Amino acid sequence: MPSTDSSFSPEADSSSPASLRPSDVAAIEQDWNRRHLDADAPRPAFRVWRYARPAIVLGVSQRSRLMHTRARAGDRLDVLVRDSGGGAVLTWPGFVSLSVALPHGHPGAASRVHESYRWLGEIHLQALAMVGVGARLVAPEQLRATVTERRASDVGWACFGSLAPWEVVSGDGRKLAGFAQKRGRHGVLLVAGTLVTPPDWPLLARTLGESPEDAATLGRQTVCASEIAGRPVDPAAFAGQLSARVRDALTVPSGDSGRRFA
């Protein structure tokens, strides 16, 4: 049976470093991610994350930007670096993240890197539908057909500035949920983030020293769940639905026809 958690409550997590405050969810998340790739960590395991305060999480390849980004952020928000790839992510109370740690050979950790995202995308669609949000997945062939157009408009420094196979988009193709992963010696970490309420892209761009034009491009190329629904969507409600869907995917017997792994 997998080690499963519902939406994160830092007060209840005795394994988190004592120096971290309950408001430091982004830091606690990164610590959880690192620990669950250790040799003796329980896998499968997952946790859904919600945030009390804004933070910026840089991709591992952006570590060289950490000092200058922290200087621009000041006391307004925390700036961290994660161990997985991709661009910078802005977290805030309207952003919901997911971490899934799997052993090598697990059906959800496909040997073809982007195939691991397919089941992850499907459970996000299910959770979104349960809170009244319609969306779809980006198939690899769709990305191949638009590669030239996308390269001209991608915002490479931001996680939500480009698309990967099986990520979640609105009907008109705007990005709603993004995925990343890290493959370690002992297991595979899959991470996902969903825009439930409107993001502050100008804040992210300013803090990284990027242009207002990039922030405007992010605004055009992304969409939050609340905008699709035409009403406010409760991040806690979506987090609960996502947790239930992940738990189901990781615990359905392998012979069950309802299993969502590719």
Side-chain angles (χ1 to χ4, degrees), residues 62-78:
Q62 298 175 313
R63 188 177 298 276
S64 62
R65 306 183 68 164
L66 179 62
M67 182 177 67
H68 293 300
T69 303
R70 280 180 169 166
R72 294 188 196 96
D75 296 330
R76 294 175 300 166
L77 67 171
D78 295 327

Side-chain angles (χ1 to χ4, degrees), residues 22 55 64 66 128 165 175 193 226:
S64 62
L66 179 62
L128 287 163
K175 187 167 177 175
S226 297

Side-chain angles (χ1 to χ4, degrees), residues 33-121:
N33 290 346
R34 284 188 289 271
R35 288 188 290 108
H36 279 76
L37 286 179
D38 290 345
D40 57 352
R43 288 179 292 269
F46 79 93
R47 182 162 278 178
V48 176
W49 307 92
R50 294 176 55 220
Y51 306 89
R53 53 179 288 179
I56 290 175
V57 184
L58 303 175
V60 66
S61 65
Q62 298 175 313
R63 188 177 298 276
S64 62
R65 306 183 68 164
L66 179 62
M67 182 177 67
H68 293 300
T69 303
R70 280 180 169 166
R72 294 188 196 96
D75 296 330
R76 294 175 300 166
L77 67 171
D78 295 327
V79 182
L80 312 165
V81 178
R82 64 181 182 273
D83 289 338
S84 58
V89 173
L90 176 68
T91 70
W92 75 101
F95 188 72
V96 173
S97 294
L98 168 68
S99 300
V100 182
L102 300 171
H104 289 296
H106 189 279
S111 57
R112 295 176 60 187
V113 173
H114 286 132
E115 279 302 309
S116 298
Y117 293 159
R118 188 169 189 169
W119 75 271
L120 205 59

Side-chain angles (χ1 to χ4, degrees), residues 1 20 36 40 65 80 110 131 150 155 160 165 178 207 221 232 255:
M1 293 291 287
L20 294 176
H36 279 76
D40 57 352
R65 306 183 68 164
L80 312 165
V131 294
R150 287 186 299 101
V155 180
F160 278 81
T207 309
Q221 295 184 169

Side-chain angles (χ1 to χ4, degrees), residues 214-236:
D214 277 358
T217 299
L218 286 169
R220 291 190 299 270
Q221 295 184 169
T222 61
V223 65
C224 69
S226 297
E227 182 179 346
I228 294 175
R231 56 170 175 77
V233 173
D234 181 8

Side-chain angles (χ1 to χ4, degrees), residues 117-126 128 133-138 160 162-171 173-179 192-195 221-223 228 238:
Y117 293 159
R118 188 169 189 169
W119 75 271
L120 205 59
E122 289 174 347
I123 61 172
H124 276 76
L125 290 185
Q126 295 167 16
L128 287 163
V133 177
R136 62 181 177 87
L137 304 184
V138 181
F160 278 81
S162 60
L163 283 171
W166 308 118
E167 289 187 320
V168 183
V169 297
S170 59
R174 290 177 291 167
K175 187 167 177 175
L176 172 59
F179 306 148
T194 301
L195 311 175
Q221 295 184 169
T222 61
V223 65
I228 294 175
F238 170 69

